[in-house]
Amino acid sequence: HEQSALDPLGLSRAQFDQNPRQTTPQAQQFNTRKTVEQTQGGARWRHVFDEGALRETSLAIYGGQRQVVQWLAIAPGTQAAARHGGGVIDFGRDYGGADLRGLWSWRGEGGNTELAAGVVQDTLKDKRQGFENFTGTGAAQQLGVTGRQRRDETNRASSRDVYAQAEAELSTHWAATLGVRSGRVTFSSTDRYIVGGNLDDSGSLRYDYTNPVAAVQWRPSEQLNVYLSAGRGFESPTLNELAYRPDGQAGFNTGLKAQTSRQVELGAKWRPAGTLAGIPAGTSIDAALFDARTDDEIGIATNLGGRSTFRNVGRTKRRGAELALTAPLGPAWRALLSATWLDATYTDGFLVCAPGCPSLRVPAVPVPAGNRIAGTLARSGYAELAWTVLPGFELAAEVRGQGRLPVNDVNSDFAGGFGLLALRARWQVALPVGQLDLLARAENLADRRVAGSVIVNEGNGRFFEPVPGRGWLLSLRYSAPF
């Protein structure tokens, strides 16, 4: 896979209000763009046993390579700092992994018990370089090109996990699940660009964890399933989050801890059989309530000159509800509706840097407890009405909506809520060998000018990323068994 794209950057509030279809001048000045090349492959081996408790063993392996070059809009003066990595990102990533597992099954008086257990290994190696995005000085200076090297390092990450999960039927109407996953994540960096004031950023870190999960299911009938689950989560920092220290000194961000969470979910799945109290056959309803409490949430500490640093900002909570409904409206009509409500807020208050961040990197702007977590949607929904005109031929109308989206942790601004309309037509044609799929779509049919996403805590205040205007898609796909 190979892809090249221009990067229009985000817009400030003033730019977005003036004309959301414009491109920020820095994008044109530096010809901001990105190229991506990726290859990936995998294989899975599976063996089924006819006798004994061991029912199945399997081994899945994968591997790939990714190459990314990105030209950023960072001013030459900013790159004059001795520890700056330049305005061009250039890295090659090799990655791979394997999952070896076994499946056991026993039959008891109450029902079947199944156990799945295995070991997983994943590895990643980045050869990361940085270059200035300009050459020359004065009138001879060229912007948006690859200039002098400013970064050269090799980063590695690996994880090794063992896991086991058992599911037992306790009776006709009750079932239980119990599982655990334990592992280790390691990171290391070897810095080869140590020039003048650009000191050695080499280092290594390790994180260990053990996460249990438990669930119980109640099945009062074949059509209704009610469940309650609880578990503990673990999320280590990424290589990018560990790359730089908030105080600007050399080395790994060794003060950054992994974030841990406790999660509970209560839900139900209903698939009524036949027509019931006016509810047509084929209807499905899924509903869930969830609550997640996180300790040591990882957040942005500074965002300067195209370089972000991270730190732990304390406790957060995420609670909400999800609902999905699918209902036939007749022999040829089908409706789908889904909605999500999410309350994602900071439990602890903390301080962040003001825009531009003082040279001493001292946070001074308060983020009070109760503020919404930047980039999280409190409300979102989707609705669809589909009509099967002929066998294999479907027409549909789609509506997608979302509420206001906070652009930063201080909640000083929000991207406005909106709704978008789309139409689609799909025709599936069976051939003597294989199948042909034809798809036509019209996106953002009303040509609305809204911000579909935001660049969270963007240091220059260019938070807003507008959705494209009215767009059209035509696709053709052929598939055949072999």
Side-chain angles (χ1 to χ4, degrees):
H1 174 75
E2 182 177 346
Q3 182 178 5
S4 298
L6 298 175
D7 181 5
L9 304 179
L11 299 177
S12 67
R13 166 56 71 183
Q15 290 171 324
F16 182 82
D17 289 343
Q18 179 192 44
N19 178 14
R21 299 290 170 84
Q22 68 177 299
T23 300
T24 191
Q26 288 84 352
Q28 302 175 20
Q29 182 183 13
F30 289 91
N31 189 21
T32 50
R33 61 203 187 276
K34 184 176 185 178
T35 63
V36 179
E37 297 179 13
Q38 179 163 326
T39 58
Q40 181 170 312
R44 183 173 183 264
W45 169 84
R46 176 172 172 261
H47 182 73
V48 178
F49 297 88
D50 295 328
E51 299 179 356
L54 180 59
R55 309 303 300 165
E56 178 183 313
T57 57
S58 64
L59 173 64
I61 59 173
Y62 74 96
Q65 202 279 334
R66 182 178 177 88
Q67 184 73 39
V68 176
V69 183
Q70 184 173 7
W71 289 261
L72 306 174
I74 300 176
T78 302
Q79 299 170 62
R83 289 188 43 73
H84 202 281
V88 179
I89 298 170
D90 187 342
F91 76 85
R93 172 173 297 170
D94 297 313
Y95 59 92
D99 182 351
L100 175 64
R101 71 175 65 186
L103 177 64
W104 291 261
S105 180
W106 298 271
R107 183 177 296 276
E109 294 183 2
N112 292 339
T113 298
E114 290 190 347
L115 171 67
V119 58
V120 180
Q121 173 75 48
D122 295 293
T123 61
L124 178 151
K125 176 184 176 182
D126 280 355
K127 180 175 174 55
R128 185 175 290 268
Q129 299 182 85
F131 301 87
E132 293 175 346
N133 60 358
F134 66 94
T135 58
T137 60
Q141 187 175 78
Q142 288 185 290
L143 303 179
V145 297
T146 301
R148 185 168 58 100
Q149 187 172 30
R150 297 295 301 273
R151 187 178 183 183
D152 185 9
E153 61 194 38
T154 299
N155 301 321
R156 290 179 171 86
S158 67
S159 65
R160 180 176 298 171
D161 305 82
V162 292
Y163 62 90
Q165 180 169 303
E167 298 182 7
E169 295 179 338
L170 305 179
S171 67
T172 304
H173 301 296
W174 291 90
T177 300
L178 185 65
V180 64
R181 190 180 187 101
S182 183
R184 171 179 297 173
V185 184
T186 61
F187 299 93
S188 67
S189 178
T190 303
D191 190 358
R192 291 182 296 273
Y193 188 81
I194 305 170
V195 178
N198 188 35
L199 305 178
D200 192 352
D201 286 317
S202 300
S204 62
L205 282 173
R206 188 186 86 186
Y207 300 90
D208 299 298
Y209 64 91
T210 299
N211 291 329
V213 63
V216 61
Q217 295 181 13
W218 175 47
R219 299 188 293 258
S221 69
E222 293 184 358
Q223 292 78 43
L224 179 61
N225 179 352
V226 180
Y227 66 89
L228 174 65
S229 64
R232 190 165 63 196
F234 169 91
E235 184 176 339
S236 72
T238 65
L239 278 169
N240 284 343
E241 291 167 345
L242 292 168
Y244 308 111
R245 296 162 55 108
D247 60 10
Q249 300 302 309
F252 249 25
N253 190 2
T254 54
L256 193 59
K257 296 183 287 186
Q259 61 184 44
T260 58
S261 61
R262 301 167 304 283
Q263 305 159 23
V264 179
E265 182 172 324
L266 173 65
K269 301 176 183 292
W270 187 39
R271 306 290 187 269
T275 302
L276 178 65
I279 300 175
T283 299
S284 68
I285 300 176
D286 292 42
L289 301 173
F290 59 88
D291 185 282
R293 306 297 171 106
T294 300
D295 294 327
D296 299 317
E297 178 90 20
I298 296 175
I300 291 179
T302 64
N303 195 336
L304 298 168
R307 174 179 290 183
S308 298
T309 66
F310 298 83
R311 62 178 175 134
N312 300 102
V313 297
R315 297 173 299 165
T316 61
K317 63 181 179 181
R318 295 168 174 84
R319 58 185 180 179
E322 296 177 336
L323 174 67
L325 167 66
T326 301
L329 302 180
W333 291 86
R334 183 188 76 255
L336 185 151
L337 174 68
S338 65
T340 300
W341 168 74
L342 172 65
D343 177 30
T345 58
Y346 290 104
T347 305
D348 295 327
F350 57 98
L351 299 175
V352 296
C353 275
C357 204
S359 58
L360 295 178
R361 299 172 181 262
V362 178
V365 179
V367 175
N371 264 24
R372 286 175 56 184
I373 299 174
T376 59
L377 279 171
R379 298 181 301 277
S380 61
Y382 174 84
E384 172 185 306
L385 181 63
W387 175 34
T388 303
V389 183
L390 298 169
F393 182 52
E394 181 183 81
L395 299 175
E398 307 170 7
V399 177
R400 176 174 65 89
Q402 65 182 50
R404 297 200 311 160
L405 186 63
V407 303
N408 53 15
D409 292 327
V410 298
N411 293 177
S412 63
D413 203 351
F414 292 78
F418 62 84
L420 297 179
L421 174 65
L423 300 177
R424 77 167 188 266
R426 185 179 182 186
W427 187 23
Q428 297 177 304
V429 183
L431 302 176
V433 178
Q435 178 175 287
L436 194 64
D437 288 320
L438 296 93
L439 174 68
R441 288 185 61 86
E443 302 280 0
N444 190 8
L445 199 65
D447 198 30
R448 297 203 62 190
R449 302 188 175 193
V450 296
S453 60
V454 298
I455 305 173
V456 172
N457 293 317
E458 212 277 341
N460 296 300
R462 297 194 292 259
F463 304 111
F464 303 95
E465 295 184 305
V467 302
R470 184 184 299 111
W472 308 91
L473 170 68
L474 293 173
S475 72
L476 176 66
R477 184 179 69 178
Y478 171 76
S479 59
F482 64 90

